[in-house]
Amino acid sequence: MRLTYLATYPVKSCYRVEADAAEVEPWGLAGDRRWLIVDGDAKLVTQRDTPELGRIHPEPRDGGLLLRASGAQDLWVPNPSGETIDVRHFFLWVAAAPAGQDADRWVSDVIGRPVTLVHLDDPTRRPVDPEYGEPGDRVSFADGYPLLLVNSASLDAVNDWLVEGGDEPVEMTRFRPNVVVSGAPAWAEDGWIGGRVVIGDVSFRVPKACSRCVLTTIDPETQEKGRQPLRVLGQRRRFPEGLLFGVNLIPDLEGFDGRGKIAVGDEVIVA
């Protein structure tokens, strides 16, 4: 089994950044979901209610973030420092640093609603909810866990079901994974829950499967919304925990001084 794909999402719910290698930090892949867009009530904004976020292509660079979108001028946003505000990430309040009025105006114009861009300058401020991990675990602005792993054979199975029902197959990017593995049978990942997977030299705990939401029905390239693949998951992958596809990961960096590295082509072992 091998690692075949790596991606981060620097601004939560915006476009992905694909890579051949990534540094692993206690709270996920370096640069993943460290920025968040919130509304006037300081509540997170995602593609669940604002698909236009997918138009924003962020590019992390030393010292900040370059924002790109079709029809808009590129904007350089330096990492903010100093002042923080409390923002609501689902049910948690987290202190984050505002990016400034220029960034707010740029993002607001692109998505068509007034919002604020913030940066999680110190990821240790947001602990994992006890429901999701163990004391000491950390996570950035990801939903609940540091990483999401998807098995390419499971996507093949979903696409077979879609074609059988007269629908078009979907790309893996609908599921917004951080890592994709190939070489395992479809749904093998169901059996990894509660155990570990080792990617290259880095070990990860596998706490639970990922319950999917309406975000999977939005085409990441066009922002058009449909009914699939959520409908077929409801027919074929419905469990008490939800409509399951993929598994969550928590890095175990003991012995790595808090950092590790993984790369496309690395061997993946179920431990």
Side-chain angles (χ1 to χ4, degrees):
M1 189 162 48
R2 296 283 173 182
L3 179 64
T4 54
Y5 177 89
L6 273 171
T8 58
Y9 307 83
V11 182
K12 183 176 178 65
S13 221
C14 293
Y15 202 79
R16 66 190 179 273
V17 173
E18 298 175 351
D20 293 326
E23 187 174 281
V24 183
E25 300 174 332
W27 36 83
L29 299 184
D32 189 42
R33 297 176 174 94
R34 292 286 297 275
W35 300 78
L36 182 72
I37 295 167
V38 299
D39 63 16
D41 295 321
K43 180 181 177 182
L44 86 163
V45 176
T46 75
Q47 285 195 50
R48 295 171 177 89
D49 51 53
T50 309
E52 293 82 5
L53 285 172
R55 295 185 55 218
I56 298 174
H57 290 236
E59 295 182 13
R61 299 187 179 181
D62 288 344
L65 188 71
L66 184 67
L67 296 178
R68 300 180 183 273
S70 177
Q73 271 197 322
D74 296 353
L75 181 71
W76 167 248
V77 183
N79 288 335
S81 60
E83 175 196 2
T84 63
I85 60 173
D86 289 334
V87 297
R88 186 178 176 185
H89 183 276
F90 296 108
F91 301 107
L92 295 174
W93 287 92
V94 183
Q101 292 183 354
D102 289 344
D104 296 347
R105 187 179 304 110
W106 189 95
V107 176
S108 299
D109 288 345
V110 168
I111 69 172
R113 59 179 293 191
V115 292
T116 297
L117 177 67
V118 299
H119 180 238
L120 187 60
D121 53 324
D122 180 2
T124 64
R125 289 200 195 100
R126 185 197 166 189
V128 171
D129 189 292
E131 177 183 351
Y132 295 126
E134 299 176 0
D137 288 339
R138 300 290 175 181
V139 65
S140 61
F141 280 134
D143 280 6
Y145 291 94
L147 284 86
L148 174 68
L149 177 150
V150 166
N151 176 5
S152 62
S154 300
L155 176 67
D156 292 341
V158 169
N159 281 332
D160 286 345
W161 296 335
L162 289 172
V163 172
E164 287 172 10
D167 289 300
E168 294 292 320
V170 297
E171 298 293 329
M172 184 65 79
T173 51
R174 289 287 188 108
F175 298 96
R176 299 176 71 83
N178 292 114
V179 294
V180 177
V181 300
S182 298
W187 314 119
E189 62 273 26
D190 291 349
W192 305 345
I193 296 167
R196 295 175 181 267
V197 296
V198 180
I199 303 175
D201 294 326
V202 182
S203 177
F204 299 85
R205 304 200 310 273
V206 188
K208 69 184 288 289
C210 183
S211 176
R212 309 318 301 231
C213 70
V214 69
L215 198 57
T216 60
T217 66
I218 300 170
D219 187 324
E221 309 305 322
T222 66
Q223 292 78 60
E224 293 181 3
K225 187 176 179 181
R227 61 176 186 171
Q228 297 290 12
L230 203 59
R231 186 169 183 268
V232 78
L233 290 178
Q235 296 167 339
R236 305 281 193 136
R237 291 284 297 171
R238 183 180 295 276
F239 296 87
E241 303 90 338
L243 312 184
L244 303 184
F245 186 88
V247 294
N248 297 115
L249 301 181
I250 298 173
D252 183 357
L253 295 170
E254 185 178 354
F256 285 87
D257 195 28
R259 297 289 187 276
K261 189 173 182 179
I262 57 177
V264 170
D266 279 350
E267 185 178 12
V268 180
I269 298 171
V270 179

